[in-house]
Amino acid sequence: MALRPIITAPDKRLKARSAPVEAVDDEVRTLLDDMLESMYAAEGIGLAAIQVGVAKRCIVTDVHPPDEPHAPLKLVNPEIVWRSDERVSHEEGCLSFPDHYAEVERPASVTVAYQDETGAAREVTAVGTLAVCLQHEIDHLEGVLFVDYLSLVKRSIILRKLTKARRAAAGA
Ligand code: NI
């Protein structure tokens, strides 16, 4: 396993649509393992492959509570096949938007069909943080970011701060 650098916004790669995975092979399994390791190192709860620069439909999550064991999920070609009518608002962050958080409203529960790391077809029905996380990560595969749900003004402020922070880091 290896850490892969996480792309931060603004970066046009984050707006790319990711391609379906044709075969779940060793390359994909290594990618998933690297993504999990990189996500844990950054103290995140979800990561999409495009955030490490790979435009493939792979995501990883782990939303276990702090006092419980790790509960990693690796999802290849994930697709939302059911959404609840009930919607909830939840504060979201993203490893590609360090130190920025905002309330986003989404369906409270979803069912996601996917392939696991052996290529087997699986389904997971989630509520709470996992439901939010899965929807957020699957959005990444379409080039959709959580800030896209905010007003143009709020989005511009966040992107401006990120650009400024990057310039400051580059000049340091
Ligand atoms: Ni994200």
Side-chain angles (χ1 to χ4, degrees):
M1 295 211 283
L3 286 179
R4 302 197 190 198
I6 295 172
I7 295 170
T8 54
D11 188 304
K12 65 177 191 303
R13 286 171 290 179
L14 294 173
K15 301 301 295 174
R17 188 166 190 272
S18 294
V21 172
E22 305 281 340
V24 185
D25 54 16
D26 285 343
E27 192 186 329
V28 170
R29 281 185 281 274
T30 300
L31 171 66
L32 290 164
D33 287 342
D34 288 354
M35 286 167 62
L36 263 182
E37 191 182 351
S38 307
M39 181 190 84
Y40 288 136
E43 296 182 2
I45 59 169
L47 190 70
I50 192 64
Q51 292 179 276
V52 295
V54 180
K56 283 185 181 164
R57 300 183 86 81
C58 291
I59 65 173
V60 294
T61 68
D62 189 340
V63 301
H64 76 282
D67 51 347
E68 285 178 28
H70 281 244
L73 272 181
K74 303 171 189 175
L75 302 91
V76 177
N77 297 323
E79 195 186 332
I80 297 171
V81 294
W82 175 81
R83 294 169 172 84
S84 65
D85 290 333
E86 189 200 346
R87 295 170 70 85
V88 287
S89 184
H90 198 280
E91 186 173 69
E92 294 187 25
C94 179
L95 292 176
S96 295
F97 291 78
D99 303 322
H100 290 278
Y101 303 89
E103 290 283 328
V104 176
E105 191 192 289
R106 300 181 186 270
S109 178
V110 288
T111 299
V112 174
Y114 65 100
Q115 286 168 271
D116 68 14
E117 71 265 39
T118 71
R122 287 181 175 273
E123 246 183 40
V124 58
T125 296
V127 292
T129 309
L130 183 58
V132 172
C133 189
L134 287 168
Q135 293 176 80
H136 175 118
E137 300 314 327
I138 290 169
D139 270 354
H140 271 298
L141 306 181
E142 298 299 321
V144 175
L145 304 167
F146 82 106
V147 293
D148 293 334
Y149 294 95
L150 310 180
S151 69
L152 182 59
V153 172
K154 279 188 189 167
R155 183 161 68 240
S156 303
I157 290 170
I158 290 175
L159 288 169
R160 205 157 54 226
K161 282 183 179 164
L162 284 166
T163 304
K164 218 184 210 176
R166 183 181 298 171
R167 281 206 200 104

